[in-house]
Amino acid sequence: MRGIYGCGVLDAFLENSISFPYGIGVSAGSANLASFIAEQEGRNYRFYTSYAFDDRYMSFKNFVTTGSFFGMDYIYSELNELVDPINFEKLVNSKMEYYVVAVDAQTSKPVYFSKEDIKKHKGDIFKASSAVPAMCRPIEIDGKEYFDGGVSDSIPVRRALDDGCDKIVAILTRPRGYVKKPEMGKAIYSEILKDYPAIIKAMNVRHYIYNKTLENLFKLEEQGKAFVFCPDKTENVSLITRNKEDLVTLYNEGRVSAENQLEKLIAFMNE
């Protein structure tokens, strides 16, 4: 739910005709970016502030009945394709190169799905990228299982650089100065994920990788190679927040943050 900050940033980009040649998204960020590429301003906002309040979206009832706290089929099939459909045609035919990050459930290695994969599997790609281990069952695609891409590549800066990007515009969901701590509930997630030992190992060290990636990103920023958007504070918004006022506040912060830095961003991109 903290992804609503990035939703605000991207809506402001759409309103001001800001575009990019390359995009890569993880978990909720991948869905935010998909609506941006499809040029559907306001669409993700509806997901965070309207649909998310339905128990089919996220609830302990879901977890008990399906093994997944988040209703992946409801979010990424029913809503995403029928109720408030994404413009798949515009998304997959966009000139923007685009990747969605998931992680292989057996190896814990990151997997980067392309628009060709989205053409074939549609919402299943976003389910895979957003299936939080222990809170969700893995998503099967072509006989292989996947979990949330954040397990191994939460902020895919290295991938973007390897793909030839010489500048990075990053949208984070945590405030500047945030330091990730070890995952809570190790004994619980280790039991739930006992059939996925590689995922357990990756979760045990995730905070090291995350913090090192942040350190590298901010070094790039100091060198003039990265432009970073991050919220001032997020203590009122958690992974599963349902307080609409807090969510709208964080969305508005994203919009204002982008609008206030628009000239600076354009200058950075044109240098």
Side-chain angles (χ1 to χ4, degrees):
M1 298 302 285
R2 284 187 294 268
I4 196 170
Y5 171 83
C7 170
V9 173
L10 291 171
D11 275 355
F13 286 172
L14 281 174
E15 193 171 274
N16 290 279
S17 300
I18 300 295
S19 62
F20 305 90
Y22 177 102
I24 184 166
V26 185
S27 197
S30 69
N32 282 347
L33 196 52
S35 290
F36 170 77
I37 299 170
E39 299 179 7
Q40 291 174 277
E41 182 183 342
R43 179 175 178 272
N44 285 109
Y45 177 83
R46 294 191 291 275
F47 275 70
Y48 287 105
T49 60
S50 296
Y51 308 136
F53 293 87
D54 189 309
D55 282 347
R56 290 174 292 176
Y57 197 101
M58 57 180 177
S59 66
F60 288 104
K61 179 181 178 181
N62 279 347
F63 188 78
V64 171
T65 58
T66 70
S68 292
F69 182 84
F70 296 98
M72 292 300 185
D73 289 338
Y74 176 67
I75 300 170
Y76 293 111
S77 293
E78 185 173 340
L79 292 177
N80 203 48
E81 297 179 25
L82 300 173
V83 177
D84 198 340
I86 190 167
N87 189 331
F88 274 111
E89 183 176 358
K90 182 169 283 189
L91 170 62
V92 299
N93 291 320
S94 166
K95 294 180 180 179
M96 183 175 175
E97 192 174 349
Y98 173 50
Y99 297 96
V100 175
V101 188
V103 64
D104 187 306
Q106 295 301 325
T107 67
S108 80
K109 300 297 183 183
V111 177
Y112 304 93
F113 290 112
S114 68
K115 289 193 290 186
E116 288 301 313
D117 296 309
I118 296 173
K119 281 184 184 180
K120 183 178 179 181
H121 299 288
K122 292 193 173 182
D124 286 349
I125 298 299
F126 302 106
K127 293 176 189 177
S129 185
S130 303
V132 180
M135 294 186 73
C136 298
R137 296 179 62 83
I139 301 300
E140 184 176 320
I141 298 175
D142 285 341
K144 298 188 71 172
E145 293 180 317
Y146 300 92
F147 281 114
D148 190 309
V151 172
S152 295
D153 199 1
S154 298
I155 312 169
V157 175
R158 185 72 262 164
R159 174 69 183 203
L161 294 173
D162 289 346
D163 280 348
C165 297
D166 55 5
K167 291 183 179 180
I168 302 291
V169 176
I171 304 174
L172 306 180
T173 58
R174 294 288 196 173
R176 192 176 292 270
Y178 170 77
V179 176
K180 189 170 184 61
K181 298 178 181 179
E183 298 287 344
M184 296 177 61
K186 181 178 178 180
I188 297 173
Y189 70 69
S190 295
E191 175 61 26
I192 295 174
L193 298 168
K194 59 186 177 183
D195 293 333
Y196 304 97
I199 296 297
I200 296 172
K201 290 180 180 179
M203 291 181 68
N204 290 345
V205 300
R206 185 187 172 204
H207 58 294
Y208 292 114
I209 298 171
Y210 183 96
N211 292 333
K212 185 62 177 178
T213 303
L214 272 184
E215 181 183 333
N216 291 336
L217 174 62
F218 290 128
K219 283 182 180 178
L220 289 173
E221 185 182 44
E222 291 173 2
Q223 295 166 6
K225 297 178 181 179
F227 197 107
V228 182
F229 289 92
C230 48
D232 290 334
K233 58 181 181 178
T234 58
E235 59 263 29
N236 291 337
V237 179
S238 71
L239 180 72
I240 58 174
T241 291
R242 274 177 157 171
N243 184 305
K244 186 170 183 176
E245 183 179 349
D246 289 335
L247 290 167
V248 171
T249 296
L250 192 55
Y251 169 83
N252 288 334
E253 182 184 342
R255 285 198 70 110
V256 171
S257 180
E259 290 164 356
N260 286 348
Q261 299 183 77
L262 202 60
E263 290 186 9
K264 186 178 177 182
L265 174 65
I266 292 172
F268 165 80
M269 293 169 63
N270 290 335
E271 285 174 351

